[in-house]
C-alpha cells in the first residue's frame, strides 16, 4: 500500500500509523497531536508555525491557541508566531544548508526577552 499511496494520509495509513501502534492515519494524527499536551504547559512556550506548512498549517495552530488552549486563561504561557513561509521544518527561506536559521534567531531573541522580564 505504501508504494501506491497518492496522499500523505494514504502513506500514513499504510506505514506510519501501524508503526506507531495506531489503527489509521486519523488515529495517529489524533494521538500524536500537540493539542493533547499544550493545555498542561505552565512555562512560557513559543510556537512557530508557517502558513505554507503542508502538515500543520498556521491556521490550525492559531485556532487551537486562541480557542482551546488560552481562551479561559489570561495567564496562558503560549506565544504563537506565524509566518507566511517556513514549511514544516521552518528552514525556509534560507534552506537546509543556510549558515544561520531564522527560526533559531527568533527563539534566541524570544528567550533573551523572557530573561529580561522582572518578576
Amino acid at each position: 500500500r505504501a508504494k501506491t499511496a497518492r496522499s500523505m494520509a494514504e502513506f500514513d495509513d499504510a506505514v506510519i500509523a501501524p508503526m506507531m501502534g495506531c489503527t489509521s492515519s486519523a488515529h495517529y494524527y489524533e494521538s500524536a497531536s500537540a493539542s493533547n499536551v499544550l493545555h498542561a504547559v505552565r512555562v512560557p512556550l513559543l510556537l512557530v508555525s508557517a502558513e505554507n506548512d503542508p502538515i500543520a498549517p498556521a491556521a490550525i495552530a492559531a485556532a487551537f491557541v486562541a480557542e482551546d488552549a488560552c481562551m479561559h486563561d489570561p495567564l496562558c504561557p503560549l506565544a504563537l508566531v506565524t509566518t507566511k513561509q517556513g514549511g514544516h521544518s521552518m528552514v525556509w527561506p534560507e534552506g537546509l544548508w543556510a549558515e544561520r536559521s531564522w527560526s533559531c534567531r527568533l527563539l534566541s531573541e524570544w528567550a533573551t526577552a523572557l530573561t529580561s522580564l522582572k518578576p
Side-chain angles (χ1 to χ4, degrees):
R1 286 185 11 197
K3 288 183 179 181
T4 60
R6 299 180 66 75
S7 69
M8 183 174 284
E10 287 180 10
F11 180 83
D12 288 347
D13 267 330
V15 178
I16 304 300
M19 183 173 64
M20 301 307 287
C22 297
T23 57
S24 66
S25 59
H27 179 213
Y28 166 66
Y29 300 152
E30 168 114 8
S31 64
S33 174
S35 65
N36 295 323
V37 295
L38 287 178
H39 67 280
V41 172
R42 298 292 177 254
V43 297
L45 177 65
L46 180 65
L47 306 168
V48 181
S49 186
E51 290 177 10
N52 71 338
D53 183 334
I55 297 170
I60 292 172
F64 173 77
V65 169
E67 298 167 14
D68 296 332
C70 296
M71 182 178 225
H72 302 292
D73 185 358
L75 300 176
C76 180
L78 305 180
L80 175 65
V81 173
T82 61
T83 63
K84 291 209 176 284
Q85 294 189 18
H88 191 64
S89 60
M90 299 307 284
V91 296
W92 295 349
E94 287 101 340
L96 285 174
W97 311 116
E99 287 185 31
R100 296 185 56 173
S101 165
W102 69 268
S103 56
C104 289
R105 289 192 307 271
L106 172 67
L107 179 58
S108 176
E109 290 173 15
W110 180 74
T112 299
L114 281 179
T115 60
S116 68
L117 294 175
K118 297 189 183 193

